[in-house]
Amino acid sequence: MKKVICVGDSIRMGYEPTVVTGLTGCANVIEMGRIQGGNTRNVIAHLHDWVIEKGPQIIHINAGLHDMARQPGPGPENAVPIDEYRANLEQILTTLQNETNAVIIFALTTPVNLNRQLAIAKAVNRTSEDVANYNKAALLTATKFAVAVNDLHRVVVEYGADDLLADDGVHFTTEGYDILGRAVAETIRQAV
């Protein structure tokens, strides 16, 4: 069976169990468990030990929520400016393409709800405008590198973002993570 690894932030942590279940008998998912991918700087720093050394044939990766985060919320600056985010994605994809033979799938960032974020915590926030801009940058970069794109943003919108987003406006309900996990598993299954 093909070895698969999903790299990403807390959204990945939420949907990964459904991916593992959904690919049973089809692929061997190397679970990242409680490893928090964080922003693209962190992914670059850990790319070898998290991914390359494990030798997967399929890599599903998402990064963006921590890059676009604004603090205090919504502050004037993104944690990782969009130009650096684009450059970091290029470095990640170049490294993966040069050092693995894996099929790479990049997942677009899921929707957020700023009002819910502000109601819970005023420290770190993401805006819908930033999600759109960072997703556009990611899509252009993935296209440049001929990397498949898994539009998880569209999946959430189609099922109803307000119903699937948790009270914090960033993470998801159990149903939301299940829907995301099934979408990721299906995309990976098509690559297998």
Side-chain angles (χ1 to χ4, degrees), residues 104-146:
I104 303 165
I105 303 164
F106 189 85
L108 297 182
T109 298
T110 50
V112 296
N113 182 309
L114 182 59
N115 290 333
R116 289 186 191 179
Q117 293 171 69
L118 293 173
I120 300 288
K122 296 177 178 24
V124 178
N125 292 283
R126 288 94 173 166
T127 69
S128 295
E129 294 78 17
D130 283 337
V131 171
N133 291 332
Y134 278 66
N135 276 346
K136 181 178 179 183
L139 184 58
L140 291 171
T141 304
T143 300
K144 176 180 176 181
F145 283 81

Coordinates of all heavy atoms in Angstrom, one line a residue, residues 104-146:
I104 N 2.1 15.3 -4.7 CA 1.9 16.3 -3.7 C 0.5 16.9 -3.9 O 0.2 17.2 -5.0 CB 3.0 17.4 -3.7 CG1 4.3 16.8 -3.6 CG2 2.7 18.5 -2.7 CD1 5.5 17.7 -4.0
I105 N -0.3 17.1 -2.8 CA -1.6 17.7 -2.9 C -1.6 18.8 -1.9 O -1.2 18.6 -0.7 CB -2.7 16.7 -2.5 CG1 -2.7 15.5 -3.4 CG2 -4.1 17.4 -2.5 CD1 -3.4 14.3 -2.9
F106 N -1.9 20.0 -2.3 CA -1.9 21.2 -1.4 C -3.4 21.5 -1.1 O -4.2 21.7 -2.1 CB -1.2 22.4 -2.0 CG -1.1 23.5 -1.0 CD1 0.0 23.5 -0.1 CD2 -2.1 24.5 -0.8 CE1 0.1 24.5 0.9 CE2 -2.0 25.5 0.1 CZ -0.9 25.5 1.0
A107 N -3.8 21.6 0.1 CA -5.1 22.0 0.5 C -5.3 23.4 0.8 O -4.5 24.0 1.6 CB -5.5 21.2 1.7
L108 N -6.3 24.1 0.2 CA -6.5 25.5 0.5 C -7.1 25.7 1.9 O -7.7 24.8 2.5 CB -7.5 26.1 -0.5 CG -7.0 26.1 -2.0 CD1 -8.0 26.7 -2.9 CD2 -5.6 26.7 -2.1
T109 N -6.8 26.8 2.5 CA -7.2 27.1 3.8 C -8.8 27.3 3.9 O -9.4 27.8 3.1 CB -6.6 28.5 4.3 OG1 -5.2 28.3 4.3 CG2 -7.0 28.9 5.7
T110 N -9.3 26.7 5.0 CA -10.7 26.7 5.2 C -11.2 28.1 5.7 O -10.5 28.9 6.2 CB -11.1 25.6 6.3 OG1 -10.2 25.8 7.4 CG2 -10.9 24.2 5.8
P111 N -12.6 28.3 5.6 CA -13.1 29.6 6.0 C -13.0 29.9 7.4 O -12.8 29.0 8.3 CB -14.6 29.4 5.6 CG -14.7 28.4 4.6 CD -13.6 27.4 5.0
V112 N -13.1 31.2 7.8 CA -13.1 31.6 9.2 C -14.2 32.6 9.4 O -14.9 33.1 8.5 CB -11.7 32.3 9.5 CG1 -10.6 31.4 9.4 CG2 -11.6 33.6 8.7
N113 N -14.5 32.8 10.7 CA -15.6 33.8 11.1 C -15.0 34.7 12.1 O -14.8 34.3 13.3 CB -16.8 33.0 11.6 CG -17.9 33.9 12.0 OD1 -17.7 34.9 12.7 ND2 -19.1 33.6 11.5
L114 N -14.7 35.9 11.7 CA -14.0 36.9 12.6 C -14.9 37.2 13.8 O -14.3 37.4 14.9 CB -13.6 38.1 11.8 CG -12.9 39.2 12.6 CD1 -11.6 38.7 13.1 CD2 -12.6 40.4 11.7
N115 N -16.2 37.4 13.6 CA -17.0 37.8 14.8 C -16.9 36.7 15.9 O -16.9 37.1 17.1 CB -18.4 38.0 14.3 CG -18.6 39.2 13.5 OD1 -17.8 40.2 13.6 ND2 -19.6 39.3 12.6
R116 N -16.9 35.4 15.5 CA -16.8 34.4 16.5 C -15.5 34.4 17.2 O -15.3 34.2 18.4 CB -17.1 33.0 15.9 CG -18.5 32.8 15.5 CD -18.7 31.3 15.0 NE -20.0 31.2 14.4 CZ -20.4 30.1 13.8 NH1 -19.7 29.0 13.8 NH2 -21.6 30.0 13.3
Q117 N -14.4 34.7 16.4 CA -13.1 34.8 16.9 C -13.0 35.9 18.0 O -12.5 35.7 19.1 CB -12.0 35.0 15.9 CG -11.9 33.9 14.9 CD -11.0 34.3 13.7 OE1 -9.8 34.5 13.9 NE2 -11.6 34.4 12.5
L118 N -13.5 37.0 17.6 CA -13.5 38.2 18.5 C -14.3 38.0 19.8 O -14.0 38.5 20.9 CB -14.0 39.4 17.8 CG -13.0 39.9 16.7 CD1 -13.7 41.1 16.0 CD2 -11.7 40.3 17.3
A119 N -15.4 37.2 19.7 CA -16.2 36.9 20.9 C -15.5 36.0 21.9 O -15.7 36.0 23.1 CB -17.5 36.2 20.4
I120 N -14.6 35.1 21.4 CA -13.9 34.2 22.2 C -12.5 34.7 22.7 O -12.2 34.7 23.9 CB -13.6 32.9 21.4 CG1 -14.9 32.2 21.0 CG2 -12.7 31.9 22.3 CD1 -15.7 31.6 22.1
A121 N -11.7 35.2 21.8 CA -10.4 35.7 22.2 C -10.0 36.9 21.3 O -10.1 36.7 20.1 CB -9.4 34.6 22.1
K122 N -9.5 37.9 21.9 CA -9.1 39.1 21.0 C -7.6 39.1 20.7 O -7.1 40.0 20.2 CB -9.5 40.3 21.8 CG -11.0 40.5 21.9 CD -11.4 41.7 22.7 CE -12.9 41.9 22.8 NZ -13.8 40.8 22.8
A123 N -6.9 38.0 21.0 CA -5.5 38.0 20.8 C -5.0 37.7 19.4 O -4.2 38.4 18.8 CB -4.9 36.9 21.8
V124 N -5.5 36.6 18.8 CA -5.1 36.2 17.5 C -6.3 36.0 16.6 O -7.3 35.2 17.0 CB -4.3 34.9 17.5 CG1 -3.9 34.4 16.1 CG2 -3.0 35.0 18.4
N125 N -6.3 36.6 15.4 CA -7.5 36.4 14.6 C -7.1 36.3 13.1 O -6.0 36.7 12.7 CB -8.5 37.6 14.8 CG -9.1 37.6 16.1 OD1 -10.0 36.9 16.4 ND2 -8.5 38.4 17.0
R126 N -8.0 35.7 12.3 CA -7.9 35.6 10.9 C -9.1 36.3 10.3 O -10.2 36.1 10.8 CB -7.8 34.2 10.5 CG -6.5 33.5 10.8 CD -6.7 32.8 12.1 NE -5.5 32.0 12.4 CZ -5.2 31.5 13.5 NH1 -6.0 31.7 14.6 NH2 -4.1 30.8 13.7
T127 N -9.0 36.9 9.1 CA -10.1 37.5 8.4 C -10.4 36.7 7.1 O -9.5 36.0 6.5 CB -9.8 38.9 8.0 OG1 -8.8 39.0 7.0 CG2 -9.4 39.8 9.2
S128 N -11.7 36.8 6.7 CA -12.1 36.1 5.4 C -11.3 36.7 4.2 O -11.0 36.0 3.3 CB -13.6 36.3 5.2 OG -14.3 35.6 6.2
E129 N -11.0 38.0 4.3 CA -10.2 38.6 3.2 C -8.8 38.0 3.1 O -8.3 37.7 2.0 CB -10.1 40.1 3.4 CG -11.4 40.9 3.3 CD -12.3 40.7 4.5 OE1 -11.8 40.4 5.6 OE2 -13.5 41.0 4.4
D130 N -8.2 37.8 4.3 CA -6.9 37.1 4.3 C -7.0 35.7 3.8 O -6.1 35.3 3.0 CB -6.3 37.2 5.7 CG -5.7 38.5 6.0 OD1 -5.4 39.3 5.1 OD2 -5.6 38.8 7.3
V131 N -8.0 35.0 4.2 CA -8.1 33.6 3.7 C -8.2 33.6 2.2 O -7.5 32.9 1.5 CB -9.4 32.9 4.3 CG1 -9.7 31.6 3.6 CG2 -9.3 32.7 5.8
A132 N -9.0 34.5 1.6 CA -9.1 34.6 0.1 C -7.8 35.0 -0.5 O -7.4 34.4 -1.5 CB -10.2 35.7 -0.3
N133 N -7.0 36.0 0.1 CA -5.8 36.4 -0.5 C -4.7 35.3 -0.4 O -3.9 35.1 -1.4 CB -5.3 37.7 0.1 CG -6.2 38.9 -0.2 OD1 -6.8 38.9 -1.3 ND2 -6.2 39.8 0.6
Y134 N -4.6 34.7 0.7 CA -3.6 33.6 0.9 C -3.9 32.4 0.1 O -3.0 31.7 -0.5 CB -3.4 33.3 2.4 CG -2.5 34.2 3.2 CD1 -2.9 35.6 3.3 CD2 -1.3 33.8 3.7 CE1 -2.1 36.5 4.0 CE2 -0.5 34.7 4.3 CZ -0.9 36.0 4.5 OH 0.0 36.9 5.1
N135 N -5.2 32.1 0.0 CA -5.6 31.0 -0.9 C -5.3 31.2 -2.4 O -4.9 30.4 -3.1 CB -7.1 30.6 -0.7 CG -7.4 29.7 0.4 OD1 -6.5 29.1 1.0 ND2 -8.6 29.6 0.8
K136 N -5.5 32.5 -2.8 CA -5.1 32.9 -4.1 C -3.6 32.7 -4.4 O -3.2 32.1 -5.4 CB -5.5 34.3 -4.4 CG -5.2 34.8 -5.8 CD -5.7 36.2 -6.1 CE -5.4 36.6 -7.5 NZ -5.8 38.0 -7.7
A137 N -2.8 33.1 -3.4 CA -1.4 33.0 -3.5 C -1.0 31.5 -3.6 O -0.1 31.1 -4.4 CB -0.7 33.7 -2.4
A138 N -1.6 30.7 -2.7 CA -1.4 29.2 -2.7 C -1.8 28.6 -4.0 O -1.0 27.7 -4.5 CB -2.1 28.6 -1.5
L139 N -2.9 28.9 -4.5 CA -3.4 28.3 -5.8 C -2.4 28.7 -6.9 O -2.1 27.8 -7.7 CB -4.8 28.8 -6.1 CG -5.5 28.2 -7.3 CD1 -5.6 26.7 -7.2 CD2 -6.9 28.9 -7.5
L140 N -2.0 29.9 -7.0 CA -1.1 30.3 -8.1 C 0.3 29.6 -7.9 O 0.8 29.1 -8.9 CB -0.8 31.8 -8.0 CG -2.0 32.7 -8.5 CD1 -1.7 34.2 -8.2 CD2 -2.3 32.5 -9.9
T141 N 0.7 29.4 -6.7 CA 2.0 28.7 -6.5 C 1.8 27.2 -6.8 O 2.7 26.6 -7.5 CB 2.4 28.9 -5.0 OG1 2.5 30.3 -4.7 CG2 3.8 28.2 -4.7
A142 N 0.8 26.6 -6.4 CA 0.5 25.2 -6.7 C 0.5 25.0 -8.2 O 1.0 24.0 -8.7 CB -0.7 24.7 -6.0
T143 N -0.2 25.9 -8.9 CA -0.3 25.7 -10.3 C 1.0 25.9 -11.0 O 1.4 25.1 -11.9 CB -1.3 26.8 -10.8 OG1 -2.6 26.6 -10.2 CG2 -1.4 26.8 -12.4
K144 N 1.8 26.8 -10.5 CA 3.2 27.0 -11.0 C 4.0 25.7 -10.9 O 4.8 25.4 -11.8 CB 3.9 28.2 -10.3 CG 5.3 28.4 -10.6 CD 5.8 29.6 -9.8 CE 7.3 29.8 -10.1 NZ 7.9 30.9 -9.3
F145 N 3.8 25.0 -9.8 CA 4.6 23.8 -9.6 C 3.9 22.5 -10.0 O 4.3 21.4 -9.7 CB 4.9 23.7 -8.1 CG 6.1 24.6 -7.7 CD1 5.8 25.9 -7.4 CD2 7.4 24.1 -7.6 CE1 6.9 26.8 -7.1 CE2 8.4 25.0 -7.2 CZ 8.2 26.3 -7.0
A146 N 2.7 22.7 -10.7 CA 1.9 21.5 -11.2 C 1.5 20.6 -10.0 O 1.6 19.4 -10.2 CB 2.7 20.8 -12.3

